[in-house]
Amino acid sequence: MNDQHTRRELAARMAADGVQFVSLQFTDIPGTVKNVTIPVQRLDEALERGVWFDGSSIEGFARIYETDMMLLPDPATYCIVPWEPDSCRVARLLCDIYTPQGELFAGDPRHILKRALAQAEALGFQFNIGPEFEFFLFRMDGHPHIQPVPHDVGSYFDFSPRDTAARVRQDISATLEGMGIQVEKVHHEVAAGQHEIDIHYADALTSADHVITAKYAIRAVAQLHGLCATFMPKPVFGINGSGMHTHQSLFAQGHNAFFAADDPYHLSPTAYQFIAGQLVHAASLAALVAPTVNSYKRLVPGYEAPAYICWGQVNRSALIRIPRYSPGWEQAVRAELRCPDPSCNPYLAFAGMLAAGLDGIRRQLTPPAPVEENVYDFDDRRLHELHIDTLPRNLGEALEALAADSVLGEALGPQAADRYLEAKWREWREYSIQVTEWERERYLETS
Ligand code: GLU
Ligand code: MG
């Protein structure tokens, strides 16, 4: 529980900021942000004793006979919610979850990531993550759910001073900075209405907290502009989808353990083993980093998203890309995993990515040779010759791989693994029995 000094410090900060309400947040197993708001007068009590809630009503949490759970706010996650009016100042705190016995709840996604990070620490590593968000801005007029209308007709790096999208992106960037998230750059992406915002790297827990915060902030700012921001991986057929490419490195005692001066890719043996681990676990990892039915509509050839399990440097069709090394920037040497999408629960995704990489390090695995050609152009024979496997073609295949993967299963822990698989199988089965417009068009009159 938070000590008196921390509680006093936070209370003073909130008083100085004129905070009236505190929004306490956490995520369920699929990654939906949950929230309970308390008046600032109740904060001290919440920091000391926590706030009780009914865990059985949260997707993937407790069984019905052990429902009581407790939220304990993490003071390090304090930020003001900038879009709320000054007349009603709201602060936000992310929470850890405890059982009635006062133990950290093993199924809390934030705790699962902390557990994975402790394993890395035991090997002397800090796991760093830099996420790139892609998302669409759709117009709200009409029904964005039924027929999304892109907000602009721009394309990659387009800019026009009268472009309202540029203003929305700048507002998003300023809002994120105001919430303590350092923005690297913002730009228009390839598809009409599609944008990208890149966040400065940080340790994986901070980055996962940033992902949760950024999604919620981007949605809120878009709404203030009368737009709908979506992180759905493939909202429109036939054009690029939205990924959340994730740049990763391991630091050891402040130095980048992925860097080696004498290697053609400037990668160390540790980096190669880490990459090999992620390639070996790629199919099961997909169930965590690309976790929705819709994710697999994005992971197809032809739209700059990965569909095959391979790595390379110039190759944007690869699953793992090694961004070019700029001399003197040893700390920036990293591996970019390209299959994650922003519909994932970042805590589980980063925990899985780390567990897969560490497995490669523990087993001293060697990755296959890099592939520098466009893999989309390879036919099945060439893929077979080069031993290049395909990523799961749908959520069902990814879940089968996850269910069979003991390394990722252990990273999630038995309870969370079961609940995650249960929830996701339900989603996959429900989808599998839908009858779509495409089927009616294709078969109604011809069968
Ligand atoms: N939008 C593409 C994807 O789905 C990636 C485009 C890029 O290379 O940034 O991953
Ligand atoms: Mg991009």
Side-chain angles (χ1 to χ4, degrees):
M1 314 298 110
N2 293 292
D3 62 41
Q4 205 178 31
H5 176 70
T6 314
R7 296 194 327 256
R8 282 217 186 111
E9 242 181 25
L10 196 59
R13 229 173 135 186
M14 293 220 187
D17 287 341
V19 171
Q20 291 172 31
F21 290 96
V22 188
S23 161
L24 304 178
Q25 300 182 353
F26 62 99
T27 70
D28 63 8
I29 287 276
T32 311
V33 176
K34 299 286 170 180
N35 176 78
V36 53
T37 302
I38 56 169
V40 73
Q41 292 80 353
R42 298 291 91 70
L43 180 73
D44 194 60
E45 207 176 308
L47 288 169
E48 192 187 356
R49 298 210 198 102
V51 172
W52 291 95
F53 71 103
D54 174 8
S56 70
S57 302
I58 305 290
E59 179 76 277
F61 277 15
R63 288 178 292 256
I64 205 83
Y65 53 85
E66 48 177 42
T67 58
D68 289 338
M69 292 202 164
M70 195 191 79
L71 294 176
L72 190 69
D74 178 350
T77 61
Y78 171 77
C79 69
I80 293 287
V81 179
W83 56 88
E84 296 291 354
D86 285 350
S87 58
C88 180
R89 269 275 158 106
V90 179
R92 190 289 315 264
L93 289 170
L94 295 173
C95 300
D96 293 309
I97 302 171
Y98 285 77
T99 65
Q101 289 72 38
E103 285 156 13
L104 278 161
F105 171 48
D108 171 14
R110 202 163 183 260
H111 177 56
I112 289 169
L113 176 56
K114 284 188 187 175
R115 238 172 26 215
L117 294 174
Q119 298 226 341
E121 233 169 85
L123 297 172
F125 295 126
Q126 174 183 311
F127 187 36
N128 287 328
I129 291 276
E132 292 178 0
F133 280 102
E134 292 176 338
F135 57 96
F136 278 83
L137 291 177
F138 291 130
R139 292 182 190 283
M140 296 281 249
D141 39 324
H143 289 281
H145 303 284
I146 299 165
Q147 195 52 56
V149 180
H151 159 251
D152 62 30
V153 292
S155 158
Y156 189 65
F157 268 46
D158 273 0
F159 175 72
S160 118
R162 286 207 313 277
D163 180 2
T164 46
R167 285 234 317 278
V168 182
R169 288 195 300 267
Q170 282 151 12
D171 271 5
I172 289 172
S173 178
T175 303
L176 294 184
E177 290 279 348
M179 296 179 90
I181 301 177
Q182 228 176 304
V183 173
E184 286 278 321
K185 57 181 183 319
V186 291
H187 63 84
H188 202 291
E189 249 303 342
V190 170
Q194 194 185 29
H195 305 275
E196 174 170 322
I197 186 150
D198 301 348
I199 290 174
H200 190 67
Y201 77 89
D203 67 275
L205 181 67
T206 305
S207 276
D209 289 347
H210 285 172
V211 168
I212 294 296
T213 310
K215 278 174 69 173
Y216 141 76
I218 293 169
R219 278 202 189 97
V221 174
Q223 210 161 359
L224 291 177
H225 286 268
L227 298 170
C228 161
T230 180
F231 298 94
M232 186 176 172
K234 186 84 172 186
V236 182
F237 164 75
I239 59 174
N240 272 13
S242 294
M244 189 180 81
H245 305 165
T246 305
H247 297 259
Q248 327 162 81
S249 59
L250 289 176
F251 275 35
Q253 292 171 336
H255 296 288
N256 188 353
F258 273 13
F259 174 74
D262 49 1
D263 176 77
Y265 289 89
H266 295 96
L267 291 175
S268 66
T270 301
Y272 281 113
Q273 291 165 0
F274 186 92
I275 290 168
Q278 290 199 331
L279 294 177
V280 163
H281 292 283
S284 40
L285 194 53
L288 296 177
V289 302
T292 58
V293 162
N294 184 252
S295 298
Y296 296 84
K297 312 278 168 87
R298 165 180 167 254
L299 298 175
V300 296
Y303 299 97
E304 297 184 275
Y308 303 107
I309 301 173
C310 62
W311 72 282
Q313 182 156 71
V314 284
N315 181 2
R316 281 175 184 268
S317 57
L319 177 63
I320 296 178
R321 193 177 74 91
I322 310 303
R324 264 181 213 296
Y325 167 67
S326 320
W329 280 93
E330 295 172 12
Q331 77 213 43
V333 169
R334 60 204 189 272
E336 175 193 359
L337 185 69
R338 290 175 64 83
C339 59
D341 70 55
S343 71
C344 70
N345 179 334
Y347 300 104
L348 301 185
F350 298 168
M353 284 156 53
L354 179 59
L358 291 184
D359 187 45
I361 293 176
R362 287 202 187 93
R363 290 160 60 200
Q364 305 197 336
L365 300 178
T366 308
V371 179
E372 295 300 5
E373 297 141 84
N374 185 352
V375 205
Y376 297 157
D377 295 338
F378 292 1
D379 58 17
D380 286 350
R381 205 174 50 111
R382 183 115 173 85
L383 289 169
H384 186 72
E385 271 167 18
L386 293 172
H387 306 287
I388 297 176
D389 282 333
T390 305
L391 278 171
R393 275 170 294 243
N394 55 50
L395 181 60
E397 283 185 18
L399 293 175
E400 263 167 31
L402 180 62
D405 188 324
S406 59
V407 171
L408 295 198
E410 237 168 71
L412 295 179
Q415 184 187 6
D418 281 0
R419 294 301 141 88
Y420 188 81
L421 284 165
E422 207 176 281
K424 288 290 161 185
W425 274 123
R426 220 181 308 126
E427 182 178 334
W428 170 243
R429 272 190 229 108
E430 198 181 305
Y431 169 73
S432 305
I433 58 170
Q434 298 301 316
V435 178
T436 62
E437 203 47 47
W438 183 90
E439 286 161 279
R440 270 191 290 270
E441 264 175 35
R442 181 105 172 194
Y443 307 122
L444 195 86
E445 289 180 55
T446 57
S447 42

